[in-house]
Amino acid sequence: MKQLLLAISLCMAGSVMAEKASVGIVIHGGAGTIDRSQMTDEQQKNYEAALADAVNKGYELLAAGGSSLDAVTLAVTVLEDSPLFNAGKGAVYTWDETHELDAAIMTGQDRNAGAVSSVTNVKNPILLARAIMEQSEHVMLTGKGAEQFAASQQLELVDNNYFNTDFRFEALKRAKEAQQQLPHQAAIVADPNWKMGTVGAVAIDHTGNLAAATSTGGMTAKRWGRVGDVPVIGAGNFADNTSCAVSGTGHGEYFIRYNVAADICARVKYQGKTAASAASEVIDELLQAGGTGGVIVVDSKGELSWAFNTQGMYRAKRDDSGTVVEIFATQREKAGN
Amino acid sequence: MKQLLLAISLCMAGSVMAEKASVGIVIHGGAGTIDRSQMTDEQQKNYEAALADAVNKGYELLAAGGSSLDAVTLAVTVLEDSPLFNAGKGAVYTWDETHELDAAIMTGQDRNAGAVSSVTNVKNPILLARAIMEQSEHVMLTGKGAEQFAASQQLELVDNNYFNTDFRFEALKRAKEAQQQLPHQAAIVADPNWKMGTVGAVAIDHTGNLAAATSTGGMTAKRWGRVGDVPVIGAGNFADNTSCAVSGTGHGEYFIRYNVAADICARVKYQGKTAASAASEVIDELLQAGGTGGVIVVDSKGELSWAFNTQGMYRAKRDDSGTVVEIFATQREKAGN
C-alpha cells in the first residue's frame, strides 16, 4: 500500500511538474526583407535547422528544470556560434572592416540586467553581458573597458578576424560602393537588411521567472561608434515578471526612440493587454513612424508570441504544445499587418 | 456690433495666446547626500546662483518664442560650463584619472533623440548629443567614433585636462584609498554622492512641444567603460508630447533597470496619472529596490514638478508663476518621502 501511494504520489508529482513545467522559449535570428525567391531550399533548410537547434537546446534545459536565464543564454550562444546570423560568428562588418558587437540580458524577477556595446574580441558577447549583470555592480560597459572586464572574467577571447565571413564582407563592399554613389541611406540600397540582423531569446521557467537575451553584430558599414537598440535596456531587450519579456530586432534607432521592449511590457502592466496584442500594437505604431522590425515575447502566463512588420523574421518557439519554426510571414501575420 | 465681436475675438485670441504661451522649464544639477551642515553659506550661494543663471537663460529663450529644444540645450550648456556640477567642466575622474562624459537629448513631438557615451574631448557633450540627433541617422554613438563625428560637426574640442578640477581629483583619491581597503562599494564610503552627479533640463515651449536634455561626467573612479543611465534613452532622459518629459539623476544602474524616465511617462499615458504623482511613485519604488536619485518632469499641460528620495537635489524651475531655486529637501518633500 505504501508503495502504491508512493507510486501515485510520484505520478502526481510528475503531473504537477508537467503543469508547473509549462515552460517555454521563443527565439529569433533577425527580421527584414527575407525574400523566399532569393533563398534556395538548402539555405532555408540550414536556417530552419539552426533555429530548431537553438530553440530545442533552450527548451530541453527548461524542461529539465533549468532557469529561463540559463535557457536564453544557451539559445543565444548557439545562434552567436552559427555563421548564419548577425551576432557572434557571422557579425557584419563596420565601415573600417572590423566587427563591433553588442549584447544585453535581463532577468524578470529582480529586473537585474547586463549590457555591452562595441566589443571586438569577445567570442560570445551574451556571456559578457551576463557576467556584467552577475559579477559587476554595473549594468552597461562599453569598448576597451568592457574587454578588460571580459578578460578579468576569463571569458573566451578571439582575434577580431574570428568573426570574418565571406558573405558579410561582400555585403560591406556593396554597401560602401552604394554609399559612394548616394552618401545617405546608401547601405539600404545595397542590402535591405543592413540594420536588421540580431538574435534573441525570451523564456519562462518552471518557477515563472522570465528572462530575455539579445545579441548583435550591429549594422553593416556602421561608423562613428554607432550603438543600436540591443544594449539599450528597454529598447531591444527587457524582462519584468509583472508583465513580460521581450527581445527585438529591426531598425535599432526606432527601437530606442520608441522604447519598444519596455513599452510592450508597460501596456501589459498598465492597460491589462495581452502581451501578444501589446506587441502587435507597438510594432504597428513603429511602422507608422517609419521603423521596421519585430519582437518575440513571453508573458507571465507563459504565452509565447511574436510580431513583425517585415517580410519575414527568422523565428522559432517551443512549449508543451510543440515546436514552430518559421521564416516568412504566414497568412496570419500578413492579415495582421 | 461686428467691430465689437471682432474686438472680443481678438481679445480672446490674445488670452488664448497667453495661455498657450505658458512656457516653463525645470533644471537639476544632481541629487544625493547634500548635507546642509557640510555646505558653507558661500557654497550654497554659488550653487543657487548657477542654478538661477541656467533656469533664467532657458526661460528667457522660451519667453521670447524659442523652442523647448533650444531652451534645454542652453540650460544644460550653462550647467556643463560651470565647475560646480558633474558634467562638462567639473566632471568627475575615472579610475585612470581621465574624464569620460555622457549626454542625451530628446524632443517630444517626433520622439527624435541623440545620445553619446564615453567621450573625452568634447567641451559640451550635450551639443554632440544634439548633433547626433539632428545631423546623423543614428541615435547613439560611443567613444572614439563619437569623437570623430564631433570633429566632423565642427564642435568645440578640448584636451581632456580641460575637465580637471582640484576638488574632483581629491574625491578620486579618497575613492581609490577607500577601495583599496574595501574592494566593493568603497567609493560610496569615500563619497556618498559618487554616482549622483548629473545635470539636466526639461521644458515646454509656446507650441506645446516638450524636450529633455541630460549630461554627466559619470561616476567617480569608474572603470571598464562603465556607462550610466544618461545616454540610455528611457532610463535617464525621455520626452514624448503625449505624456511628459523627464531628466533623471541618481544611481544610474537602477535608473536603467527600472526604465525610470519612460516608466513615468507610461504611467501618465496609460494610467492617466499626473506627471507629478507618476514621478513620485516611480522614485518611491526605486528607493524600495535600493536605488537613490531624483527626476525633474514637465507634462503636456505645462505642469513642472520634481521628485527625489535623497537628502537634496540641486534644482530650479521657472514658469509664469515665478522662479524657485532649491537645494535641500523641503518639509513638503520630506513628508512625501
Side-chain angles (χ1 to χ4, degrees):
Chain A
M1 184 63 184
K2 261 191 182 169
Q3 276 177 333
L4 183 62
L5 277 174
L6 184 65
I8 292 168
S9 139
L10 278 171
C11 183
M12 284 178 67
S15 89
V16 170
M17 279 299 288
E19 196 180 304
K20 253 179 98 182
S22 71
V23 301
I25 181 166
V26 197
I27 64 167
H28 70 77
T33 313
I34 303 169
D35 190 343
R36 193 188 289 265
S37 68
Q38 298 289 308
M39 192 179 276
T40 66
D41 285 351
E42 192 189 341
Q43 284 173 324
Q44 183 174 340
K45 276 183 194 156
N46 287 342
Y47 276 107
E48 287 169 350
L51 291 166
D53 184 35
V55 83
N56 286 333
K57 283 190 171 133
Y59 184 79
E60 283 154 19
L61 192 151
L62 291 167
S67 72
S68 53
L69 193 57
D70 284 341
V72 296
T73 305
L74 177 60
V76 168
T77 306
V78 170
L79 295 167
E80 284 180 336
D81 289 343
S82 164
L84 294 174
F85 306 102
N86 175 21
K89 179 74 183 167
V92 299
Y93 285 79
T94 66
W95 183 267
D96 297 324
E97 304 186 359
T98 63
H99 309 273
E100 289 177 4
L101 298 92
D102 305 334
I105 197 162
M106 189 160 183
T107 177
Q109 66 200 123
D110 57 5
R111 297 174 65 160
N112 207 351
V116 60
S117 71
S118 304
V119 287
T120 62
N121 68 351
V122 179
K123 188 185 174 208
N124 289 105
I126 198 66
L127 298 182
L128 175 52
R130 183 152 173 189
I132 291 165
M133 176 172 87
E134 294 181 331
Q135 307 299 330
S136 86
E137 60 189 317
H138 303 307
V139 170
M140 187 173 185
L141 303 182
T142 188
K144 293 288 166 216
E147 293 173 358
Q148 286 163 13
F149 180 75
S152 79
Q153 296 295 308
Q154 285 83 48
L155 293 181
E156 188 173 350
L157 304 180
V158 292
D159 283 339
N160 193 248
N161 63 18
Y162 160 79
F163 301 108
N164 288 0
T165 50
D166 290 341
F167 80 110
R168 299 289 188 200
F169 192 66
E170 290 304 314
L172 174 68
K173 283 202 293 190
R174 287 197 305 275
K176 282 188 160 185
E177 280 160 21
Q179 199 142 338
Q180 274 152 4
Q181 291 161 5
L182 296 161
H184 290 290
Q185 306 268 327
I188 298 172
V189 179
D191 177 0
N193 296 322
W194 69 309
K195 288 174 282 210
M196 293 300 185
T198 307
V199 306
V202 295
I204 182 167
D205 63 26
H206 69 99
T207 71
N209 192 45
L210 307 180
T214 312
S215 179
T216 185
M219 198 178 87
T220 298
K222 71 180 175 184
R223 301 169 80 170
W224 299 318
R226 179 260 188 184
V227 179
D229 59 314
V230 172
V232 176
I233 298 294
N237 199 76
F238 200 67
D240 178 0
N241 280 4
T242 64
S243 51
C244 61
V246 180
S247 169
T249 174
H251 190 158
E253 279 70 12
Y254 284 89
F255 274 67
I256 296 175
R257 290 166 51 194
Y258 286 82
N259 200 237
V260 166
D263 189 19
I264 291 169
C265 293
R267 290 172 196 229
V268 172
K269 190 169 175 176
Y270 301 134
Q271 296 188 299
K273 293 197 165 138
T274 66
S277 66
S280 283
E281 275 181 17
V282 171
I283 292 299
D284 283 353
E285 288 179 20
L286 199 72
L287 187 65
Q288 286 160 30
T292 50
V295 290
I296 53 171
V297 188
V298 56
D299 69 16
S300 55
K301 299 185 195 81
E303 291 293 328
L304 312 179
S305 57
W306 47 54
F308 54 96
N309 60 33
T310 49
Q311 278 188 15
M313 178 165 77
Y314 298 105
R315 62 201 188 276
K317 61 181 176 176
R318 184 168 171 189
D319 60 13
D320 55 14
S321 68
T323 308
V324 178
V325 179
E326 286 173 352
I327 296 176
F328 312 105
T330 61
Q331 285 309 318
R332 189 181 66 78
E333 279 128 5
K334 281 178 182 160
N337 289 330
Chain B
M1 185 62 182
K2 263 193 183 168
Q3 277 177 332
L4 183 63
L5 276 175
L6 184 64
I8 291 170
S9 141
L10 279 171
C11 183
M12 284 178 67
S15 89
V16 169
M17 278 300 286
E19 198 177 300
K20 254 178 94 181
S22 69
V23 301
I25 181 167
V26 197
I27 65 166
H28 71 77
T33 312
I34 303 169
D35 189 344
R36 194 188 290 264
S37 69
Q38 299 289 309
M39 191 179 276
T40 65
D41 285 352
E42 192 188 344
Q43 284 173 324
Q44 183 174 340
K45 275 182 195 156
N46 287 342
Y47 275 106
E48 287 169 350
L51 291 166
D53 184 35
V55 83
N56 286 334
K57 283 190 171 132
Y59 183 79
E60 283 154 18
L61 192 151
L62 291 167
S67 72
S68 53
L69 193 58
D70 284 341
V72 296
T73 305
L74 177 60
V76 168
T77 306
V78 170
L79 295 168
E80 283 180 336
D81 289 343
S82 164
L84 294 174
F85 306 101
N86 175 22
K89 179 75 184 166
V92 298
Y93 284 79
T94 66
W95 183 266
D96 296 325
E97 304 186 359
T98 63
H99 308 273
E100 290 177 3
L101 298 92
D102 305 334
I105 197 162
M106 191 161 182
T107 177
Q109 65 201 121
D110 56 4
R111 297 175 64 163
N112 207 352
V116 60
S117 71
S118 305
V119 288
T120 62
N121 67 351
V122 179
K123 187 185 175 208
N124 290 105
I126 198 66
L127 298 181
L128 176 52
R130 183 152 173 190
I132 292 166
M133 176 173 87
E134 294 181 331
Q135 306 300 331
S136 86
E137 59 189 318
H138 302 307
V139 170
M140 185 173 187
L141 303 182
T142 188
K144 292 289 164 214
E147 293 173 358
Q148 287 163 13
F149 180 75
S152 79
Q153 295 296 308
Q154 285 83 48
L155 293 180
E156 188 173 351
L157 303 181
V158 292
D159 282 339
N160 193 248
N161 63 18
Y162 160 80
F163 301 108
N164 288 0
T165 51
D166 291 341
F167 80 110
R168 299 290 188 197
F169 192 64
E170 290 303 315
L172 174 69
K173 283 202 292 188
R174 286 198 305 276
K176 281 188 162 186
E177 279 160 20
Q179 199 143 337
Q180 273 152 4
Q181 289 160 6
L182 296 162
H184 290 290
Q185 305 267 328
I188 298 172
V189 178
D191 178 0
N193 297 322
W194 70 308
K195 288 173 281 208
M196 293 301 185
T198 307
V199 307
V202 295
I204 182 167
D205 63 28
H206 69 99
T207 71
N209 192 44
L210 306 180
T214 312
S215 180
T216 186
M219 197 179 89
T220 298
K222 72 181 175 185
R223 301 169 81 171
W224 299 317
R226 180 259 190 185
V227 179
D229 59 313
V230 171
V232 176
I233 298 295
N237 199 75
F238 200 68
D240 178 358
N241 279 4
T242 64
S243 51
C244 60
V246 180
S247 169
T249 174
H251 190 157
E253 278 71 11
Y254 283 90
F255 275 67
I256 296 175
R257 290 167 50 194
Y258 285 82
N259 200 237
V260 166
D263 190 19
I264 291 169
C265 294
R267 290 172 196 228
V268 172
K269 190 169 176 178
Y270 300 135
Q271 296 188 298
K273 293 198 164 136
T274 66
S277 66
S280 283
E281 275 180 14
V282 171
I283 291 300
D284 283 352
E285 288 180 18
L286 200 70
L287 186 64
Q288 285 159 29
T292 50
V295 289
I296 52 171
V297 188
V298 56
D299 69 16
S300 55
K301 299 184 195 80
E303 292 293 330
L304 311 179
S305 58
W306 46 54
F308 54 96
N309 60 33
T310 49
Q311 278 188 15
M313 179 164 78
Y314 299 105
R315 61 201 188 275
K317 60 181 177 176
R318 184 168 172 190
D319 60 14
D320 54 15
S321 68
T323 308
V324 178
V325 179
E326 286 173 352
I327 296 177
F328 312 105
T330 61
Q331 286 308 318
R332 188 181 68 79
E333 280 130 4
K334 281 177 183 161
N337 289 330

mmCIF file of all heavy atoms in Angstrom, chain B residues 96-115:
data_model
loop_
_atom_site.group_PDB
_atom_site.id
_atom_site.type_symbol
_atom_site.label_atom_id
_atom_site.label_comp_id
_atom_site.label_asym_id
_atom_site.label_seq_id
_atom_site.Cartn_x
_atom_site.Cartn_y
_atom_site.Cartn_z
ATOM 1 N N ASP B 96 41.303 55.820 -14.054
ATOM 2 C CA ASP B 96 42.578 56.111 -14.718
ATOM 3 C C ASP B 96 42.907 57.609 -14.758
ATOM 4 O O ASP B 96 43.761 58.036 -15.541
ATOM 5 C CB ASP B 96 42.554 55.555 -16.154
ATOM 6 C CG ASP B 96 42.441 54.043 -16.155
ATOM 7 O OD1 ASP B 96 43.018 53.408 -15.252
ATOM 8 O OD2 ASP B 96 41.755 53.506 -17.046
ATOM 9 N N GLU B 97 42.211 58.393 -13.953
ATOM 10 C CA GLU B 97 42.468 59.833 -13.805
ATOM 11 C C GLU B 97 42.194 60.625 -15.080
ATOM 12 O O GLU B 97 42.848 61.621 -15.370
ATOM 13 C CB GLU B 97 43.893 60.076 -13.273
ATOM 14 C CG GLU B 97 44.120 59.328 -11.969
ATOM 15 C CD GLU B 97 45.464 59.622 -11.306
ATOM 16 O OE1 GLU B 97 46.247 60.404 -11.874
ATOM 17 O OE2 GLU B 97 45.698 59.064 -10.218
ATOM 18 N N THR B 98 41.231 60.127 -15.851
ATOM 19 C CA THR B 98 40.776 60.865 -17.026
ATOM 20 C C THR B 98 39.296 61.217 -16.803
ATOM 21 O O THR B 98 38.751 60.987 -15.719
ATOM 22 C CB THR B 98 40.902 60.007 -18.296
ATOM 23 O OG1 THR B 98 40.045 58.864 -18.159
ATOM 24 C CG2 THR B 98 42.336 59.541 -18.504
ATOM 25 N N HIS B 99 38.674 61.744 -17.845
ATOM 26 C CA HIS B 99 37.241 62.056 -17.774
ATOM 27 C C HIS B 99 36.556 61.446 -18.992
ATOM 28 O O HIS B 99 37.060 61.564 -20.107
ATOM 29 C CB HIS B 99 37.014 63.573 -17.785
ATOM 30 C CG HIS B 99 37.811 64.300 -16.748
ATOM 31 N ND1 HIS B 99 37.376 64.487 -15.460
ATOM 32 C CD2 HIS B 99 39.050 64.859 -16.805
ATOM 33 C CE1 HIS B 99 38.296 65.152 -14.770
ATOM 34 N NE2 HIS B 99 39.323 65.388 -15.573
ATOM 35 N N GLU B 100 35.436 60.786 -18.764
ATOM 36 C CA GLU B 100 34.625 60.215 -19.856
ATOM 37 C C GLU B 100 33.198 60.713 -19.673
ATOM 38 O O GLU B 100 32.586 60.452 -18.631
ATOM 39 C CB GLU B 100 34.628 58.688 -19.801
ATOM 40 C CG GLU B 100 35.968 58.060 -20.174
ATOM 41 C CD GLU B 100 35.953 56.543 -20.037
ATOM 42 O OE1 GLU B 100 34.879 55.970 -19.712
ATOM 43 O OE2 GLU B 100 37.018 55.937 -20.236
ATOM 44 N N LEU B 101 32.672 61.383 -20.667
ATOM 45 C CA LEU B 101 31.389 62.076 -20.486
ATOM 46 C C LEU B 101 30.270 61.466 -21.341
ATOM 47 O O LEU B 101 30.516 60.967 -22.446
ATOM 48 C CB LEU B 101 31.571 63.562 -20.827
ATOM 49 C CG LEU B 101 32.575 64.285 -19.913
ATOM 50 C CD1 LEU B 101 33.970 64.250 -20.496
ATOM 51 C CD2 LEU B 101 32.150 65.714 -19.660
ATOM 52 N N ASP B 102 29.059 61.536 -20.809
ATOM 53 C CA ASP B 102 27.866 61.005 -21.476
ATOM 54 C C ASP B 102 26.803 62.117 -21.546
ATOM 55 O O ASP B 102 26.736 62.958 -20.658
ATOM 56 C CB ASP B 102 27.240 59.860 -20.668
ATOM 57 C CG ASP B 102 28.195 58.712 -20.351
ATOM 58 O OD1 ASP B 102 29.160 58.511 -21.110
ATOM 59 O OD2 ASP B 102 27.953 58.017 -19.348
ATOM 60 N N ALA B 103 25.947 62.065 -22.556
ATOM 61 C CA ALA B 103 24.838 63.031 -22.634
ATOM 62 C C ALA B 103 23.726 62.488 -23.518
ATOM 63 O O ALA B 103 23.960 61.580 -24.332
ATOM 64 C CB ALA B 103 25.330 64.371 -23.199
ATOM 65 N N ALA B 104 22.527 63.044 -23.354
ATOM 66 C CA ALA B 104 21.391 62.650 -24.202
ATOM 67 C C ALA B 104 20.411 63.794 -24.330
ATOM 68 O O ALA B 104 20.294 64.637 -23.426
ATOM 69 C CB ALA B 104 20.673 61.437 -23.612
ATOM 70 N N ILE B 105 19.696 63.804 -25.440
ATOM 71 C CA ILE B 105 18.678 64.836 -25.676
ATOM 72 C C ILE B 105 17.518 64.195 -26.430
ATOM 73 O O ILE B 105 17.716 63.240 -27.198
ATOM 74 C CB ILE B 105 19.283 66.036 -26.458
ATOM 75 C CG1 ILE B 105 18.393 67.268 -26.361
ATOM 76 C CG2 ILE B 105 19.580 65.660 -27.912
ATOM 77 C CD1 ILE B 105 19.120 68.551 -26.708
ATOM 78 N N MET B 106 16.308 64.697 -26.204
ATOM 79 C CA MET B 106 15.135 64.122 -26.882
ATOM 80 C C MET B 106 14.072 65.203 -27.033
ATOM 81 O O MET B 106 13.907 66.049 -26.159
ATOM 82 C CB MET B 106 14.591 62.943 -26.078
ATOM 83 C CG MET B 106 13.544 62.117 -26.801
ATOM 84 S SD MET B 106 13.361 60.470 -26.037
ATOM 85 C CE MET B 106 12.129 59.759 -27.132
ATOM 86 N N THR B 107 13.355 65.133 -28.139
ATOM 87 C CA THR B 107 12.278 66.092 -28.395
ATOM 88 C C THR B 107 10.955 65.336 -28.501
ATOM 89 O O THR B 107 10.888 64.262 -29.096
ATOM 90 C CB THR B 107 12.579 66.923 -29.671
ATOM 91 O OG1 THR B 107 11.481 67.788 -29.913
ATOM 92 C CG2 THR B 107 12.809 66.058 -30.883
ATOM 93 N N GLY B 108 9.903 65.887 -27.870
ATOM 94 C CA GLY B 108 8.677 65.130 -27.698
ATOM 95 C C GLY B 108 7.789 65.026 -28.914
ATOM 96 O O GLY B 108 6.948 64.138 -28.993
ATOM 97 N N GLN B 109 7.945 65.913 -29.901
ATOM 98 C CA GLN B 109 6.968 65.920 -30.989
ATOM 99 C C GLN B 109 7.121 64.716 -31.903
ATOM 100 O O GLN B 109 6.149 64.143 -32.343
ATOM 101 C CB GLN B 109 7.007 67.216 -31.793
ATOM 102 C CG GLN B 109 8.292 67.459 -32.547
ATOM 103 C CD GLN B 109 8.459 68.936 -32.881
ATOM 104 O OE1 GLN B 109 9.431 69.567 -32.493
ATOM 105 N NE2 GLN B 109 7.491 69.490 -33.588
ATOM 106 N N ASP B 110 8.350 64.310 -32.172
ATOM 107 C CA ASP B 110 8.540 63.137 -33.021
ATOM 108 C C ASP B 110 9.413 62.097 -32.322
ATOM 109 O O ASP B 110 9.850 61.140 -32.941
ATOM 110 C CB ASP B 110 9.171 63.542 -34.361
ATOM 111 C CG ASP B 110 10.480 64.288 -34.164
ATOM 112 O OD1 ASP B 110 10.931 64.423 -33.009
ATOM 113 O OD2 ASP B 110 11.062 64.738 -35.163
ATOM 114 N N ARG B 111 9.653 62.305 -31.040
ATOM 115 C CA ARG B 111 10.475 61.380 -30.252
ATOM 116 C C ARG B 111 11.829 61.143 -30.905
ATOM 117 O O ARG B 111 12.378 60.052 -30.797
ATOM 118 C CB ARG B 111 9.710 60.077 -30.006
ATOM 119 C CG ARG B 111 8.463 60.331 -29.197
ATOM 120 C CD ARG B 111 7.609 59.118 -29.011
ATOM 121 N NE ARG B 111 8.265 58.082 -28.244
ATOM 122 C CZ ARG B 111 7.628 57.074 -27.667
ATOM 123 N NH1 ARG B 111 6.308 56.999 -27.759
ATOM 124 N NH2 ARG B 111 8.266 56.150 -27.006
ATOM 125 N N ASN B 112 12.348 62.153 -31.558
ATOM 126 C CA ASN B 112 13.709 62.028 -32.051
ATOM 127 C C ASN B 112 14.654 62.179 -30.856
ATOM 128 O O ASN B 112 14.323 62.834 -29.873
ATOM 129 C CB ASN B 112 13.990 63.084 -33.121
ATOM 130 C CG ASN B 112 15.072 62.609 -34.094
ATOM 131 O OD1 ASN B 112 15.715 61.566 -33.883
ATOM 132 N ND2 ASN B 112 15.285 63.361 -35.154
ATOM 133 N N ALA B 113 15.832 61.545 -30.958
ATOM 134 C CA ALA B 113 16.736 61.529 -29.809
ATOM 135 C C ALA B 113 18.174 61.409 -30.269
ATOM 136 O O ALA B 113 18.462 60.926 -31.363
ATOM 137 C CB ALA B 113 16.392 60.351 -28.891
ATOM 138 N N GLY B 114 19.091 61.881 -29.421
ATOM 139 C CA GLY B 114 20.519 61.717 -29.649
ATOM 140 C C GLY B 114 21.196 61.418 -28.322
ATOM 141 O O GLY B 114 20.822 61.985 -27.294
ATOM 142 N N ALA B 115 22.183 60.526 -28.356
ATOM 143 C CA ALA B 115 22.866 60.155 -27.114
ATOM 144 C C ALA B 115 24.316 59.846 -27.415
ATOM 145 O O ALA B 115 24.646 59.355 -28.501
ATOM 146 C CB ALA B 115 22.195 58.936 -26.488
#
